Amino acid sequence: MTSGRSSKIAVIGSGLMGSALARAFAAVGHEVAVWNRTPSKAQAVGGGTLAFEELREAITGRDLVVVSLSNYAAFSEVFSSKDVVAALAGTTLVQLTSGSPADARNALEWATAHGVDYLDAAILAYPAFVATDYATVFYAGSRAVFDRHLGTLQAVAKNSVYVDEKIGSAATLDCAILEAYYGGSLAVLHAAAMCKAEGLDPKAFFAQKNSFLGLISVTADAAQDMVARDDFTGEQCSLNTHVAAIEHIVRLSQDARISTRFPRELLENYRRAVDAGLGAQELPAVFRTLGKD
Ligand code: NAP
């Protein structure tokens, strides 16, 4: 089942991502069966894949069963019948459905109870990036099972990263990266809205992309070190000074009559750290007040 050898793979779910996964496996010569709740979408995958109407038939005798559904509730529903579960005997199930670490733990419990090898995975890519150098997939679970299938799984992403044996670790890393992505993206969009509301062409802000991404990068490096040492003292800029800067952002948003939710939420988080007595420390000291609500 390593690279260079053709595997029998079933891809369950022919949504946007599932279709891209199925085509990626087929493109490197694997024999790919696809199944989808709405059969027409499975038939539309094409690219040399075989569409099955019966789930049991699609998964029988497969080396790998790759699941890409909306959520784990859909996964539980799809794999609920006894004959479907029986057809998984001898295969490895790779869960590429996004979820939480608790979802992953429940799925492993289910797989173990049914004697199925299970890897929990999280894909960091849009479907168009599947099988390109821009795709990353994180895997959690048995290292031996991962190593056995790595060559095959690399059809989806050369950058297939084994995170940890803890089954929730891929979902944890995915959630962490997505938080940075969604939070960062919202900040960027709010910043553009501030510019527009103040009559400054947002292009001027976007042109500074390297400046603000560079600042975030430097802060992430400093935070990594400070969190590891549990020491947030420094000589660069105190939290008190940062809080004053965030107050300006709230003030601008109020004056320009655009949403203040995001900067107020920022301010609340940073002020909480100051209220906890951390005002003289560096920005990453906020980490200390995020451990509990
Ligand atoms: P999608 O296009 O909406 O496809 C969802 C799939 O789930 C469809 O095959 C749908 O079947 C199936 N489904 C939903 N509920 C079901 C149920 N109760 N029973 C059976 N099948 C059910 O979504 P997607 O973009 O492919 O996303 C799939 C997974 O990939 C998600 O977990 C998502 O978070 C993850 N992901 C997606 C992206 C992305 O950029 N698209 C990126 C990273 C991760 P029907 O066709 O019958 O509705």
Side-chain angles (χ1 to χ4, degrees):
M1 277 31 94
T2 53
S3 59
R5 189 173 152 191
S6 172
S7 294
K8 290 185 172 183
I9 302 172
V11 176
I12 305 310
S14 308
L16 296 169
M17 184 54 82
S19 302
L21 299 174
R23 284 191 289 264
F25 286 122
V28 294
H30 297 300
E31 186 192 310
V32 181
V34 293
W35 175 91
N36 195 60
R37 175 179 61 178
T38 309
S40 57
K41 280 200 209 163
Q43 284 146 14
V45 174
T49 64
L50 299 165
F52 284 78
E53 291 221 356
E54 287 294 322
L55 174 60
R56 197 174 45 78
E57 283 177 42
I59 62 179
T60 299
R62 299 279 145 185
D63 303 309
L64 272 183
V65 174
V66 175
V67 182
S68 176
L69 298 170
S70 298
N71 49 49
Y72 281 63
F75 164 68
S76 299
E77 204 180 310
V78 167
F79 287 88
S80 58
S81 88
K82 273 193 185 152
D83 52 340
V84 163
V85 174
L88 285 173
T91 68
T92 294
L93 196 146
V94 179
Q95 181 72 267
L96 267 157
T97 301
S98 304
S100 71
D103 286 330
R105 287 189 282 271
N106 291 337
L108 175 65
E109 205 177 308
W110 173 89
T112 307
H114 293 96
V116 177
D117 281 344
Y118 180 79
L119 291 174
D120 199 84
I123 183 159
L124 203 63
Y126 288 113
F129 295 159
V130 167
T132 75
D133 288 346
Y134 297 105
T136 295
V137 182
F138 299 117
Y139 291 92
S142 156
R143 175 93 221 195
V145 174
F146 172 76
D147 287 343
R148 191 169 356 124
H149 295 291
L150 176 59
T152 306
L153 295 169
Q154 279 179 323
V156 168
K158 256 188 259 148
N159 196 25
S160 292
V161 181
Y162 178 76
V163 183
D164 197 274
E165 196 158 357
K166 279 193 222 78
I167 199 69
S169 62
T172 301
L173 191 53
D174 188 46
C175 286
I177 293 171
L178 289 180
E179 185 185 42
Y181 169 61
Y182 289 122
S185 298
L186 185 59
V188 165
L189 293 167
H190 189 272
M194 283 198 305
C195 293
K196 185 158 188 260
E198 276 291 328
L200 175 67
D201 189 333
K203 270 187 193 165
F205 162 67
F206 289 118
Q208 293 304 318
K209 185 176 78 173
N210 290 341
S211 311
F212 60 77
L213 292 182
L215 275 173
I216 294 169
S217 174
V218 164
T219 304
D221 288 344
Q224 177 178 0
D225 179 50
M226 289 176 164
V227 167
R229 288 189 292 110
D230 194 27
D231 177 359
F232 299 89
T233 55
E235 300 290 325
Q236 296 306 312
C237 185
S238 71
L239 259 178
N240 289 326
T241 304
H242 285 298
V243 163
I246 299 169
E247 283 167 350
H248 302 151
I249 301 170
V250 174
R251 178 78 196 279
L252 186 163
S253 305
Q254 279 166 345
D255 293 349
R257 294 174 183 278
I258 65 164
S259 171
T260 59
R261 275 170 198 269
F262 181 70
R264 277 192 288 117
E265 182 74 20
L266 274 183
L267 189 56
E268 190 196 311
N269 277 281
Y270 283 83
R271 268 196 189 143
R272 192 149 19 112
V274 169
D275 294 346
L278 304 171
Q281 300 191 11
E282 297 288 310
L283 185 148
V286 174
F287 180 79
R288 283 202 161 138
T289 54
L290 295 175
K292 54 178 185 260
D293 233 342

